[in-house]
Amino acid sequence: MAVVTVGAGNGVRRAAKTPLQSWWSAQADTLKWPTLLLSRDGTHVDKISVGIVMGSTSDWDVMKHAAQQLKDFGVPYDARALSAHRSPDLLMEWIEECEKNGVQCFIAGAGGAAHLAGVVASKTALPVFAVPIPSKHLQGLDSLLSMVQMPKGIPVATFAIGDAGSANAGLFAVATLALADKALADKLAAFRRKQTEAVKNAKLPD
Ligand code: RP5
């Protein structure tokens, strides 16, 4: 389940006339990021489980595969384009807010000198899954090496370059959450069984 956030961070304001609205306004003004979480279909959710971040909106074409896996398993997430070098303060604030909202792990996708996942991991002790985005000149080898070569002490778990890595990061996040969620573990087991069945039934062309 995708999450949209509503409140001060998105500039959403209501005319604060009633005491409740005044209280809400006061709360919103003290917060840089929103606190009311809604799924895309408008239903309220209490928490988000995964934070997906990418260095640029141009990364979404790859990162949407991680988001799709979470959607398929009904895992609530918040996805943002926030850059480690172009908007470092916003990135830090978002990570803090994610932790407050119950996030259990992060997925970070970036291309080129891809320090985003390492920077996220510098701010949180939660697991960080890194997705190397294919880059224009080096096809993502630069992104991969930037992520996988994190110095000792601040780990990030690095996945394959591109769409497959992104989808697998989503699945890995599901597996991580499934450690403490039996229903999710059952769904993941069913997903794996289905894949096995597909291999069993596969036919090669004549
Ligand atoms: C990185 O630079 C982003 O993660 C993206 O992969 C790459 C190019 O960004 P844009 O120039 O498309 O914004 O920071």
Side-chain angles (χ1 to χ4, degrees):
M1 180 191 303
V3 166
V4 289
T5 42
V6 180
N10 288 356
V12 174
R13 288 282 191 280
R14 286 155 208 244
K17 299 291 183 204
T18 67
L20 181 61
Q21 285 171 325
S22 302
W23 176 84
W24 167 251
S25 252
Q27 299 303 307
D29 285 343
T30 61
L31 294 168
K32 296 239 167 55
W33 290 94
T35 52
L36 178 60
L37 302 177
L38 302 172
S39 69
R40 291 231 190 271
D41 63 9
T43 47
H44 176 257
V45 292
D46 291 329
K47 64 182 185 75
I48 50 177
S49 299
V50 180
I52 301 179
V53 64
M54 61 215 82
S56 167
T57 53
S58 66
D59 298 331
W60 175 244
D61 218 34
V62 172
M63 295 309 293
K64 69 183 182 193
H65 296 284
Q68 187 61 52
Q69 294 297 334
L70 299 179
K71 256 188 218 166
D72 290 350
F73 281 90
V75 171
Y77 65 89
D78 186 22
R80 303 270 174 161
L82 291 168
S83 166
H85 50 276
R86 287 183 278 217
S87 59
D89 295 341
L90 288 178
L91 176 64
M92 292 298 148
E93 287 163 16
W94 176 77
I95 294 166
E96 277 179 17
E97 217 41 54
C98 280
E99 287 193 330
K100 280 187 209 148
N101 288 329
V103 157
Q104 300 291 300
C105 59
F106 288 91
I107 299 173
H115 40 244
L116 180 64
V119 171
V120 173
S122 76
K123 177 72 175 168
T124 179
L126 291 170
V128 178
F129 310 133
V131 180
I133 302 290
S135 53
K136 187 172 169 193
H137 299 293
L138 296 173
Q139 291 74 50
L141 187 58
D142 44 355
S143 325
L144 172 69
L145 294 178
S146 303
M147 289 171 159
V148 83
Q149 285 297 96
M150 273 300 286
K152 183 179 175 183
I154 303 292
V156 302
T158 305
F159 288 77
I161 299 169
D163 296 357
S166 176
N168 276 349
L171 285 171
F172 207 84
V174 169
T176 304
L177 297 169
L179 290 171
D181 183 336
K182 172 82 170 69
L184 194 58
D186 290 346
K187 266 194 202 175
L188 185 56
F191 168 83
R192 298 286 286 258
R193 274 197 302 275
K194 202 171 153 196
Q195 281 193 143
T196 304
E197 281 304 308
V199 173
K200 228 197 292 183
N201 299 329
K203 301 237 182 314
L204 290 173
D206 294 332

